Amino acid sequence: MNRKPVRTAVVGCGLIGKRRAQVAAANVGSKCVLVVDSNIEVARALAKEVGAESSADWREAVRREDIDALVVATPNGFLAEISIAAAAHGKHVLAEKPMGRTLEEAEHMRAAFSSAGRILKIGLNHRYHPAIAEAHRQFARREIGDVINIRCRYGHGGRPGYEKEWRGNRELSGGGELTDQGVHVVDLIHWFAGQPFEVFSYLQTAVWPLGDLEDNAFGLMRFESGAIATLHTSWTQWKNLFSLEIHGTHGALCVEGLGRSYGIETLVRHIRKPEGGAPETSRVEYPGEDRSWELEWEDLLGSLAGGRAGLGSAEDGVAAMRTLEAMYRSAATGQPVELAGEVAGHA
């Protein structure tokens, strides 16, 4: 049975919002009806490109009855307010990561959509990168056995003037690099190992004049299974880098690169030999364009059609914010922090 296209509004027409609008307009399962930005000229330019209407008022997107779903691609400080208002008006939402500025905002977002019976998806698009997705499939098939430890490094070089942008404003961002790129790392660690029961973290402001916001974050996590995870996320990684290693009892899965300036996305698998010696190693490169945005959108459309939660659900978003909040508390106190509440299982 053919379904009507999901009528979509995109709020926030920056780099990510523009990409979201392009994806929604190009998919036969959706139609980009409206784009919104406080800078109306920016909104008008994007509207012309994707064949949509434009507005400078996000409330128009929330209230219009000819809109089924919103993409909220604003600075972090507006994500919760706009998403919760959309739920109250019966809209489904894809909200960019992180899930608000704080765990409290994330929990309010989750509660609003649960009460409204609408789907909330968080923009954790890294789960859809081909090497990461394939690593998770192999992991789920237990090809490397049980997790022993995970290492992840992710960073770029920032840029002069960051402190003058919204990411350098705590009221708009909620946090520094740990919140910005670190939320992707935390989510991926959760995807493979679940939520940790204890975290320890150091924050550093090494180069950029960000005041009390960090340009580097270091984290250590312990899990009920005995597994350990480490992360380093950085705005002083002068050559862009992404590296995710999952080490198990039977082998390891190692993802390097995310395409473009991060280098060709690559998955290397090592399967250890019981008798010892060099492992059996295979390597697959994924040199194509980044399709994570299209795949994430397809997952949302499937969720709306089937009434199910796909990847990057509200539960996933809250879990990531819970771990981030614990890491910030650890950095502030200099002590390990135990996480309370529900635990995110393997997706």
Side-chain angles (χ1 to χ4, degrees):
M1 180 182 296
N2 293 327
R3 290 185 170 87
K4 293 181 179 179
V6 175
R7 300 166 298 181
T8 305
V10 176
V11 180
C13 297
L15 179 64
I16 303 302
K18 181 176 181 179
R19 184 171 291 170
R20 295 293 191 188
Q22 292 167 337
V23 168
N27 194 299
V28 297
S30 57
K31 177 179 174 58
C32 189
V33 174
L34 178 68
V35 296
V36 181
D37 198 276
S38 57
N39 185 330
I40 189 60
E41 294 305 321
V42 171
R44 285 170 178 163
L46 181 56
K48 184 176 180 180
E49 177 184 343
V50 299
E53 299 174 47
S54 61
S55 176
D57 184 2
W58 62 262
R59 294 170 183 81
E60 179 181 347
V62 165
R63 293 167 180 162
R64 279 179 53 164
E65 295 183 358
D66 63 337
I67 291 173
D68 307 306
L70 265 67
V71 174
V72 185
T74 64
N76 305 343
F78 304 108
L79 293 172
E81 179 186 8
I82 297 173
S83 298
I84 290 170
H89 284 80
K91 307 291 193 286
H92 305 287
V93 168
L94 189 162
E96 288 302 333
K97 63 78 186 172
M99 195 173 175
R101 293 167 294 183
T102 63
L103 174 59
E104 182 180 21
E105 286 189 347
E107 290 175 333
H108 287 164
M109 291 170 69
R110 178 178 61 179
F113 281 83
S114 177
S115 297
R118 292 295 181 266
I119 288 174
L120 171 62
K121 184 175 181 64
I122 308 304
L124 297 166
N125 68 297
H126 285 42
R127 293 193 183 205
Y128 300 88
H129 273 267
I132 297 172
E134 177 58 26
H136 192 268
R137 284 189 287 269
Q138 293 186 26
F139 170 78
R141 295 196 296 264
R142 296 190 53 77
E143 293 186 16
I144 64 166
D146 297 323
V147 175
I148 300 171
N149 55 66
I150 298 174
R151 286 197 296 260
C152 191
R153 296 172 295 148
Y154 191 16
H156 62 76
R159 57 179 170 266
Y162 238 28
E163 70 280 4
K164 299 176 183 177
E165 301 178 21
W166 70 262
R167 284 185 176 84
N169 181 328
R170 180 173 290 280
E171 184 64 24
L172 292 176
S173 67
E177 166 63 342
L178 179 58
T179 294
D180 188 39
Q181 288 187 305
V183 70
H184 281 303
V185 174
V186 166
D187 177 65
L188 292 176
I189 290 172
H190 285 179
W191 202 26
F192 285 91
Q195 191 161 57
F197 77 86
E198 184 180 66
V199 301
F200 182 78
S201 181
Y202 282 116
L203 303 181
Q204 181 185 48
T205 306
V207 172
W208 304 115
L210 296 164
D212 65 345
L213 297 177
E214 71 282 356
D215 58 18
N216 280 265
F218 305 82
L220 187 64
M221 305 179 186
R222 288 204 299 159
F223 298 83
E224 296 282 359
S225 66
I228 304 288
T230 65
L231 68 84
H232 175 204
T233 183
S234 175
W235 279 338
T236 64
Q237 183 75 43
W238 306 125
K239 171 62 178 71
N240 291 7
L241 177 142
F242 178 85
S243 174
L244 172 65
E245 303 174 32
I246 304 97
H247 295 263
T249 51
H250 303 326
L253 296 163
C254 305
V255 177
E256 304 288 337
L258 290 172
R260 303 187 70 167
S261 61
Y262 287 89
I264 295 174
E265 193 168 337
T266 305
L267 173 60
V268 178
R269 184 178 74 165
H270 304 291
I271 301 299
R272 76 180 185 91
K273 297 177 181 178
E275 67 273 18
E280 296 179 0
T281 296
S282 62
R283 176 187 179 93
V284 179
E285 293 187 349
Y286 300 85
E289 290 293 317
D290 178 6
R291 294 196 61 244
S292 64
W293 310 94
E294 288 89 346
L295 295 172
E296 187 175 39
W297 188 248
E298 287 283 354
D299 193 20
L300 174 62
L301 296 180
S303 297
L304 298 183
R308 58 173 177 81
L311 300 180
S313 67
E315 296 299 327
D316 295 325
V318 168
M321 295 303 290
R322 181 177 295 109
T323 296
L324 285 182
E325 189 269 345
M327 292 179 71
Y328 277 115
R329 279 197 286 132
S330 173
T333 62
Q335 299 294 322
V337 171
E338 291 189 7
L339 284 82
E342 67 263 37
V343 175
H346 297 174

Short mmCIF file of all heavy atoms in Angstrom, two decimals, residues 171-231:
data_model
loop_
_atom_site.label_atom_id
_atom_site.label_comp_id
_atom_site.label_asym_id
_atom_site.label_seq_id
_atom_site.Cartn_x
_atom_site.Cartn_y
_atom_site.Cartn_z
N GLU A 171 25.23 28.72 27.72
CA GLU A 171 23.77 28.80 27.74
C GLU A 171 23.17 28.16 26.50
O GLU A 171 22.09 27.55 26.56
CB GLU A 171 23.33 30.26 27.83
CG GLU A 171 21.82 30.45 27.94
CD GLU A 171 21.22 29.88 29.21
OE1 GLU A 171 21.96 29.73 30.20
OE2 GLU A 171 20.02 29.58 29.19
N LEU A 172 23.86 28.25 25.37
CA LEU A 172 23.36 27.66 24.13
C LEU A 172 23.84 26.24 23.90
O LEU A 172 23.14 25.44 23.27
CB LEU A 172 23.77 28.54 22.94
CG LEU A 172 23.12 29.91 22.86
CD1 LEU A 172 23.69 30.69 21.69
CD2 LEU A 172 21.60 29.80 22.74
N SER A 173 25.02 25.92 24.40
CA SER A 173 25.61 24.61 24.09
C SER A 173 25.40 23.58 25.19
O SER A 173 25.27 22.38 24.90
CB SER A 173 27.11 24.77 23.84
OG SER A 173 27.79 25.15 25.03
N GLY A 174 25.43 24.00 26.43
CA GLY A 174 25.32 23.07 27.55
C GLY A 174 26.66 22.50 27.97
O GLY A 174 26.82 22.02 29.09
N GLY A 175 27.64 22.49 27.09
CA GLY A 175 28.96 21.94 27.39
C GLY A 175 29.88 22.15 26.21
O GLY A 175 29.46 22.65 25.16
N GLY A 176 31.13 21.75 26.36
CA GLY A 176 32.11 21.91 25.31
C GLY A 176 32.23 20.69 24.42
O GLY A 176 31.23 20.10 24.01
N GLU A 177 33.46 20.27 24.16
CA GLU A 177 33.71 19.19 23.22
C GLU A 177 33.14 17.86 23.68
O GLU A 177 32.73 17.04 22.85
CB GLU A 177 35.22 19.08 22.95
CG GLU A 177 35.69 17.82 22.25
CD GLU A 177 35.15 17.62 20.85
OE1 GLU A 177 34.15 18.25 20.46
OE2 GLU A 177 35.72 16.78 20.13
N LEU A 178 33.07 17.61 24.97
CA LEU A 178 32.47 16.37 25.46
C LEU A 178 31.01 16.29 25.04
O LEU A 178 30.51 15.23 24.65
CB LEU A 178 32.59 16.27 26.98
CG LEU A 178 31.97 15.04 27.62
CD1 LEU A 178 32.56 13.75 27.06
CD2 LEU A 178 32.13 15.08 29.14
N THR A 179 30.30 17.42 25.10
CA THR A 179 28.91 17.45 24.66
C THR A 179 28.80 17.39 23.15
O THR A 179 27.94 16.69 22.61
CB THR A 179 28.22 18.73 25.17
OG1 THR A 179 28.14 18.68 26.60
CG2 THR A 179 26.81 18.87 24.61
N ASP A 180 29.69 18.08 22.45
CA ASP A 180 29.58 18.23 21.00
C ASP A 180 29.87 16.92 20.26
O ASP A 180 28.96 16.29 19.72
CB ASP A 180 30.53 19.33 20.54
CG ASP A 180 30.34 19.68 19.08
OD1 ASP A 180 29.18 19.71 18.62
OD2 ASP A 180 31.34 19.95 18.40
N GLN A 181 31.11 16.49 20.23
CA GLN A 181 31.43 15.22 19.57
C GLN A 181 31.39 14.05 20.54
O GLN A 181 31.13 12.91 20.14
CB GLN A 181 32.82 15.30 18.92
CG GLN A 181 32.88 16.18 17.68
CD GLN A 181 34.22 16.08 16.99
OE1 GLN A 181 35.26 16.32 17.59
NE2 GLN A 181 34.20 15.75 15.71
N GLY A 182 31.62 14.34 21.82
CA GLY A 182 31.65 13.27 22.80
C GLY A 182 30.35 12.50 22.91
O GLY A 182 30.35 11.31 23.22
N VAL A 183 29.22 13.15 22.64
CA VAL A 183 27.94 12.44 22.74
C VAL A 183 27.86 11.31 21.71
O VAL A 183 27.28 10.26 21.97
CB VAL A 183 26.75 13.42 22.59
CG1 VAL A 183 26.63 13.96 21.17
CG2 VAL A 183 25.44 12.74 23.00
N HIS A 184 28.47 11.48 20.54
CA HIS A 184 28.53 10.40 19.55
C HIS A 184 29.35 9.23 20.09
O HIS A 184 28.97 8.07 19.94
CB HIS A 184 29.15 10.90 18.25
CG HIS A 184 28.24 11.68 17.37
ND1 HIS A 184 27.04 11.17 16.90
CD2 HIS A 184 28.35 12.92 16.85
CE1 HIS A 184 26.45 12.08 16.14
NE2 HIS A 184 27.22 13.14 16.10
N VAL A 185 30.49 9.55 20.70
CA VAL A 185 31.36 8.50 21.24
C VAL A 185 30.64 7.73 22.34
O VAL A 185 30.63 6.49 22.36
CB VAL A 185 32.66 9.11 21.78
CG1 VAL A 185 33.51 8.05 22.48
CG2 VAL A 185 33.46 9.75 20.64
N VAL A 186 30.02 8.45 23.26
CA VAL A 186 29.30 7.81 24.36
C VAL A 186 28.19 6.91 23.81
O VAL A 186 28.01 5.77 24.25
CB VAL A 186 28.73 8.87 25.31
CG1 VAL A 186 27.70 8.26 26.26
CG2 VAL A 186 29.86 9.53 26.10
N ASP A 187 27.44 7.40 22.81
CA ASP A 187 26.38 6.60 22.24
C ASP A 187 26.91 5.33 21.60
O ASP A 187 26.31 4.25 21.74
CB ASP A 187 25.59 7.42 21.22
CG ASP A 187 24.51 6.59 20.54
OD1 ASP A 187 23.57 6.15 21.24
OD2 ASP A 187 24.62 6.34 19.31
N LEU A 188 28.02 5.42 20.89
CA LEU A 188 28.58 4.23 20.25
C LEU A 188 29.08 3.22 21.29
O LEU A 188 28.89 2.01 21.13
CB LEU A 188 29.70 4.62 19.29
CG LEU A 188 29.26 5.40 18.05
CD1 LEU A 188 30.47 5.81 17.22
CD2 LEU A 188 28.29 4.58 17.20
N ILE A 189 29.69 3.71 22.35
CA ILE A 189 30.11 2.80 23.42
C ILE A 189 28.91 2.10 24.02
O ILE A 189 28.92 0.89 24.26
CB ILE A 189 30.92 3.58 24.48
CG1 ILE A 189 32.28 4.00 23.90
CG2 ILE A 189 31.12 2.72 25.73
CD1 ILE A 189 33.07 4.92 24.80
N HIS A 190 27.83 2.85 24.24
CA HIS A 190 26.59 2.23 24.74
C HIS A 190 26.09 1.16 23.78
O HIS A 190 25.59 0.10 24.21
CB HIS A 190 25.50 3.29 24.88
CG HIS A 190 25.66 4.20 26.05
ND1 HIS A 190 24.78 5.21 26.32
CD2 HIS A 190 26.60 4.26 27.03
CE1 HIS A 190 25.16 5.85 27.41
NE2 HIS A 190 26.26 5.30 27.84
N TRP A 191 26.16 1.43 22.49
CA TRP A 191 25.63 0.50 21.48
C TRP A 191 26.32 -0.86 21.55
O TRP A 191 25.70 -1.89 21.36
CB TRP A 191 25.80 1.12 20.10
CG TRP A 191 24.88 0.57 19.06
CD1 TRP A 191 23.66 -0.01 19.25
CD2 TRP A 191 25.08 0.58 17.63
NE1 TRP A 191 23.09 -0.37 18.04
CE2 TRP A 191 23.95 -0.01 17.04
CE3 TRP A 191 26.12 1.05 16.83
CZ2 TRP A 191 23.83 -0.17 15.66
CZ3 TRP A 191 25.99 0.90 15.45
CH2 TRP A 191 24.86 0.30 14.88
N PHE A 192 27.61 -0.83 21.85
CA PHE A 192 28.36 -2.08 21.91
C PHE A 192 28.42 -2.68 23.31
O PHE A 192 28.49 -3.91 23.44
CB PHE A 192 29.79 -1.84 21.40
CG PHE A 192 29.88 -1.71 19.90
CD1 PHE A 192 29.79 -0.46 19.30
CD2 PHE A 192 30.04 -2.82 19.10
CE1 PHE A 192 29.87 -0.32 17.92
CE2 PHE A 192 30.12 -2.70 17.71
CZ PHE A 192 30.03 -1.45 17.12
N ALA A 193 28.39 -1.87 24.34
CA ALA A 193 28.65 -2.41 25.69
C ALA A 193 27.55 -2.11 26.70
O ALA A 193 27.64 -2.56 27.83
CB ALA A 193 29.99 -1.86 26.21
N GLY A 194 26.52 -1.35 26.31
CA GLY A 194 25.52 -0.94 27.28
C GLY A 194 25.99 0.28 28.05
O GLY A 194 27.05 0.85 27.76
N GLN A 195 25.23 0.69 29.05
CA GLN A 195 25.61 1.86 29.84
C GLN A 195 26.54 1.45 30.97
O GLN A 195 26.32 0.44 31.63
CB GLN A 195 24.38 2.56 30.40
CG GLN A 195 24.70 3.93 31.01
CD GLN A 195 23.46 4.79 31.12
OE1 GLN A 195 22.49 4.41 31.75
NE2 GLN A 195 23.48 5.97 30.50
N PRO A 196 27.61 2.20 31.22
CA PRO A 196 28.52 1.85 32.31
C PRO A 196 27.88 2.07 33.66
O PRO A 196 26.93 2.82 33.80
CB PRO A 196 29.69 2.82 32.10
CG PRO A 196 29.08 4.01 31.42
CD PRO A 196 28.01 3.44 30.53
N PHE A 197 28.43 1.39 34.68
CA PHE A 197 27.93 1.64 36.03
C PHE A 197 28.82 2.65 36.76
O PHE A 197 28.41 3.18 37.80
CB PHE A 197 27.83 0.34 36.83
CG PHE A 197 29.12 -0.20 37.36
CD1 PHE A 197 29.63 0.22 38.58
CD2 PHE A 197 29.83 -1.16 36.64
CE1 PHE A 197 30.82 -0.29 39.07
CE2 PHE A 197 31.01 -1.68 37.12
CZ PHE A 197 31.52 -1.25 38.34
N GLU A 198 30.00 2.95 36.20
CA GLU A 198 30.88 3.92 36.84
C GLU A 198 31.71 4.63 35.78
O GLU A 198 32.17 4.00 34.82
CB GLU A 198 31.80 3.22 37.83
CG GLU A 198 32.70 4.17 38.62
CD GLU A 198 33.60 3.42 39.59
OE1 GLU A 198 34.48 2.66 39.13
OE2 GLU A 198 33.41 3.59 40.81
N VAL A 199 31.91 5.94 35.96
CA VAL A 199 32.74 6.71 35.03
C VAL A 199 33.71 7.59 35.80
O VAL A 199 33.46 7.97 36.95
CB VAL A 199 31.88 7.60 34.09
CG1 VAL A 199 30.91 6.76 33.28
CG2 VAL A 199 31.15 8.68 34.86
N PHE A 200 34.82 7.90 35.13
CA PHE A 200 35.78 8.87 35.65
C PHE A 200 36.22 9.73 34.49
O PHE A 200 36.43 9.21 33.37
CB PHE A 200 36.99 8.17 36.28
CG PHE A 200 37.98 9.13 36.88
CD1 PHE A 200 37.74 9.71 38.12
CD2 PHE A 200 39.15 9.45 36.21
CE1 PHE A 200 38.65 10.61 38.67
CE2 PHE A 200 40.06 10.34 36.75
CZ PHE A 200 39.82 10.92 37.98
N SER A 201 36.37 11.03 34.70
CA SER A 201 36.64 11.91 33.58
C SER A 201 37.53 13.08 33.98
O SER A 201 37.47 13.57 35.12
CB SER A 201 35.32 12.46 33.02
OG SER A 201 35.55 13.30 31.91
N TYR A 202 38.38 13.50 33.03
CA TYR A 202 39.12 14.75 33.12
C TYR A 202 38.71 15.63 31.96
O TYR A 202 38.52 15.14 30.84
CB TYR A 202 40.63 14.52 33.03
CG TYR A 202 41.30 14.01 34.28
CD1 TYR A 202 41.91 12.75 34.29
CD2 TYR A 202 41.35 14.78 35.44
CE1 TYR A 202 42.53 12.27 35.43
CE2 TYR A 202 41.98 14.31 36.58
CZ TYR A 202 42.58 13.06 36.56
OH TYR A 202 43.19 12.59 37.70
N LEU A 203 38.60 16.92 32.20
CA LEU A 203 38.35 17.90 31.16
C LEU A 203 39.56 18.84 31.08
O LEU A 203 40.24 19.08 32.08
CB LEU A 203 37.09 18.72 31.44
CG LEU A 203 35.79 17.94 31.63
CD1 LEU A 203 34.64 18.91 31.88
CD2 LEU A 203 35.49 17.06 30.43
N GLN A 204 39.78 19.38 29.89
CA GLN A 204 40.94 20.24 29.67
C GLN A 204 40.55 21.38 28.74
O GLN A 204 39.83 21.16 27.75
CB GLN A 204 42.07 19.41 29.05
CG GLN A 204 43.36 20.14 28.77
CD GLN A 204 44.35 19.22 28.05
OE1 GLN A 204 44.00 18.56 27.07
NE2 GLN A 204 45.57 19.19 28.54
N THR A 205 40.97 22.59 29.04
CA THR A 205 40.86 23.70 28.11
C THR A 205 42.28 24.12 27.78
O THR A 205 42.93 24.85 28.55
CB THR A 205 40.06 24.87 28.72
OG1 THR A 205 38.80 24.37 29.18
CG2 THR A 205 39.81 25.96 27.68
N ALA A 206 42.79 23.64 26.65
CA ALA A 206 44.22 23.70 26.37
C ALA A 206 44.62 24.83 25.43
O ALA A 206 45.69 25.41 25.57
CB ALA A 206 44.68 22.36 25.77
N VAL A 207 43.77 25.14 24.44
CA VAL A 207 44.17 26.08 23.40
C VAL A 207 43.14 27.18 23.19
O VAL A 207 43.44 28.38 23.23
CB VAL A 207 44.42 25.35 22.05
CG1 VAL A 207 44.64 26.35 20.92
CG2 VAL A 207 45.61 24.42 22.18
N TRP A 208 41.89 26.79 22.99
CA TRP A 208 40.87 27.77 22.62
C TRP A 208 40.34 28.49 23.85
O TRP A 208 40.10 27.86 24.88
CB TRP A 208 39.73 27.08 21.86
CG TRP A 208 40.21 26.35 20.65
CD1 TRP A 208 40.19 25.00 20.43
CD2 TRP A 208 40.83 26.93 19.49
NE1 TRP A 208 40.74 24.70 19.22
CE2 TRP A 208 41.14 25.86 18.61
CE3 TRP A 208 41.14 28.23 19.11
CZ2 TRP A 208 41.75 26.06 17.37
CZ3 TRP A 208 41.75 28.44 17.88
CH2 TRP A 208 42.05 27.38 17.03
N PRO A 209 40.15 29.81 23.78
CA PRO A 209 39.73 30.59 24.96
C PRO A 209 38.24 30.45 25.23
O PRO A 209 37.45 31.38 25.03
CB PRO A 209 40.10 32.03 24.56
CG PRO A 209 39.97 32.04 23.06
CD PRO A 209 40.42 30.68 22.60
N LEU A 210 37.86 29.30 25.75
CA LEU A 210 36.45 28.94 25.91
C LEU A 210 35.93 29.16 27.32
O LEU A 210 34.83 28.71 27.65
CB LEU A 210 36.24 27.48 25.51
CG LEU A 210 36.52 27.15 24.03
CD1 LEU A 210 36.67 25.65 23.84
CD2 LEU A 210 35.40 27.70 23.15
N GLY A 211 36.72 29.79 28.18
CA GLY A 211 36.26 30.00 29.54
C GLY A 211 36.16 28.68 30.28
O GLY A 211 37.13 27.93 30.37
N ASP A 212 34.97 28.37 30.79
CA ASP A 212 34.79 27.13 31.56
C ASP A 212 34.33 25.97 30.70
O ASP A 212 33.93 24.92 31.22
CB ASP A 212 33.81 27.36 32.71
CG ASP A 212 32.40 27.67 32.22
OD1 ASP A 212 32.23 27.98 31.03
OD2 ASP A 212 31.47 27.60 33.05
N LEU A 213 34.39 26.10 29.38
CA LEU A 213 34.07 24.99 28.48
C LEU A 213 35.35 24.29 28.06
O LEU A 213 36.40 24.92 27.90
CB LEU A 213 33.31 25.49 27.25
CG LEU A 213 31.95 26.13 27.50
CD1 LEU A 213 31.37 26.63 26.19
CD2 LEU A 213 31.01 25.13 28.16
N GLU A 214 35.27 22.99 27.85
CA GLU A 214 36.45 22.19 27.54
C GLU A 214 36.69 22.06 26.03
O GLU A 214 35.74 22.03 25.26
CB GLU A 214 36.29 20.78 28.14
CG GLU A 214 35.27 19.87 27.48
CD GLU A 214 33.83 20.15 27.83
OE1 GLU A 214 33.56 21.03 28.69
OE2 GLU A 214 32.95 19.49 27.25
N ASP A 215 37.98 22.01 25.66
CA ASP A 215 38.30 21.67 24.29
C ASP A 215 38.84 20.24 24.17
O ASP A 215 39.07 19.75 23.06
CB ASP A 215 39.24 22.68 23.61
CG ASP A 215 40.57 22.88 24.31
OD1 ASP A 215 40.95 22.03 25.14
OD2 ASP A 215 41.23 23.91 24.03
N ASN A 216 39.02 19.57 25.31
CA ASN A 216 39.40 18.15 25.34
C ASN A 216 38.69 17.47 26.51
O ASN A 216 38.50 18.09 27.57
CB ASN A 216 40.91 17.98 25.52
CG ASN A 216 41.69 18.17 24.25
OD1 ASN A 216 42.00 17.22 23.55
ND2 ASN A 216 42.02 19.43 23.93
N ALA A 217 38.32 16.22 26.30
CA ALA A 217 37.71 15.42 27.37
C ALA A 217 38.27 14.01 27.32
O ALA A 217 38.45 13.43 26.24
CB ALA A 217 36.19 15.38 27.23
N PHE A 218 38.55 13.48 28.50
CA PHE A 218 39.11 12.14 28.64
C PHE A 218 38.19 11.36 29.58
O PHE A 218 37.82 11.88 30.64
CB PHE A 218 40.52 12.18 29.22
CG PHE A 218 41.47 13.06 28.44
CD1 PHE A 218 41.48 14.43 28.64
CD2 PHE A 218 42.33 12.51 27.51
CE1 PHE A 218 42.35 15.25 27.92
CE2 PHE A 218 43.20 13.31 26.78
CZ PHE A 218 43.22 14.68 26.99
N GLY A 219 37.84 10.15 29.20
CA GLY A 219 36.90 9.39 30.02
C GLY A 219 37.30 7.94 30.17
O GLY A 219 37.92 7.34 29.28
N LEU A 220 36.95 7.38 31.31
CA LEU A 220 37.17 5.97 31.62
C LEU A 220 35.86 5.42 32.17
O LEU A 220 35.25 6.03 33.04
CB LEU A 220 38.28 5.84 32.66
CG LEU A 220 38.80 4.45 33.02
CD1 LEU A 220 39.47 3.81 31.80
CD2 LEU A 220 39.80 4.56 34.17
N MET A 221 35.43 4.28 31.64
CA MET A 221 34.14 3.70 32.03
C MET A 221 34.31 2.24 32.44
O MET A 221 35.09 1.51 31.83
CB MET A 221 33.14 3.75 30.86
CG MET A 221 32.92 5.11 30.27
SD MET A 221 31.76 5.04 28.87
CE MET A 221 31.85 6.73 28.29
N ARG A 222 33.54 1.83 33.46
CA ARG A 222 33.50 0.43 33.86
C ARG A 222 32.08 -0.09 33.70
O ARG A 222 31.10 0.62 33.98
CB ARG A 222 33.93 0.26 35.32
CG ARG A 222 35.41 0.47 35.55
CD ARG A 222 35.87 -0.24 36.81
NE ARG A 222 35.17 0.25 38.01
CZ ARG A 222 35.07 -0.44 39.14
NH1 ARG A 222 35.57 -1.67 39.23
NH2 ARG A 222 34.44 0.08 40.19
N PHE A 223 31.97 -1.36 33.29
CA PHE A 223 30.68 -1.98 33.01
C PHE A 223 30.46 -3.17 33.93
O PHE A 223 31.41 -3.78 34.44
CB PHE A 223 30.61 -2.42 31.55
CG PHE A 223 30.73 -1.28 30.57
CD1 PHE A 223 31.98 -0.78 30.21
CD2 PHE A 223 29.61 -0.68 30.03
CE1 PHE A 223 32.10 0.28 29.33
CE2 PHE A 223 29.72 0.39 29.16
CZ PHE A 223 30.96 0.87 28.81
N GLU A 224 29.19 -3.51 34.12
CA GLU A 224 28.83 -4.64 34.98
C GLU A 224 29.52 -5.93 34.52
O GLU A 224 29.85 -6.79 35.33
CB GLU A 224 27.31 -4.84 34.98
CG GLU A 224 26.53 -3.68 35.59
CD GLU A 224 26.56 -3.68 37.11
OE1 GLU A 224 27.18 -4.59 37.70
OE2 GLU A 224 25.96 -2.77 37.70
N SER A 225 29.74 -6.06 33.21
CA SER A 225 30.36 -7.26 32.66
C SER A 225 31.84 -7.37 33.00
O SER A 225 32.44 -8.44 32.81
CB SER A 225 30.22 -7.25 31.13
OG SER A 225 30.98 -6.19 30.57
N GLY A 226 32.43 -6.29 33.48
CA GLY A 226 33.87 -6.25 33.70
C GLY A 226 34.62 -5.52 32.60
O GLY A 226 35.83 -5.27 32.73
N ALA A 227 33.94 -5.20 31.51
CA ALA A 227 34.57 -4.48 30.41
C ALA A 227 34.94 -3.06 30.83
O ALA A 227 34.34 -2.47 31.73
CB ALA A 227 33.64 -4.44 29.20
N ILE A 228 35.93 -2.50 30.14
CA ILE A 228 36.41 -1.14 30.36
C ILE A 228 36.38 -0.40 29.03
O ILE A 228 36.71 -0.96 27.99
CB ILE A 228 37.85 -1.13 30.91
CG1 ILE A 228 37.97 -1.95 32.19
CG2 ILE A 228 38.34 0.30 31.11
CD1 ILE A 228 37.32 -1.33 33.39
N ALA A 229 36.00 0.89 29.05
CA ALA A 229 36.05 1.72 27.84
C ALA A 229 36.81 3.01 28.15
O ALA A 229 36.70 3.55 29.25
CB ALA A 229 34.65 2.04 27.33
N THR A 230 37.58 3.47 27.16
CA THR A 230 38.25 4.75 27.28
C THR A 230 37.88 5.62 26.09
O THR A 230 37.64 5.11 24.99
CB THR A 230 39.78 4.60 27.32
OG1 THR A 230 40.26 4.07 26.08
CG2 THR A 230 40.21 3.69 28.46
N LEU A 231 37.84 6.93 26.32
CA LEU A 231 37.56 7.85 25.22
C LEU A 231 38.40 9.11 25.37
O LEU A 231 38.76 9.52 26.46
CB LEU A 231 36.07 8.21 25.15
CG LEU A 231 35.43 9.06 26.25
CD1 LEU A 231 35.63 10.54 26.03
CD2 LEU A 231 33.93 8.76 26.35
#
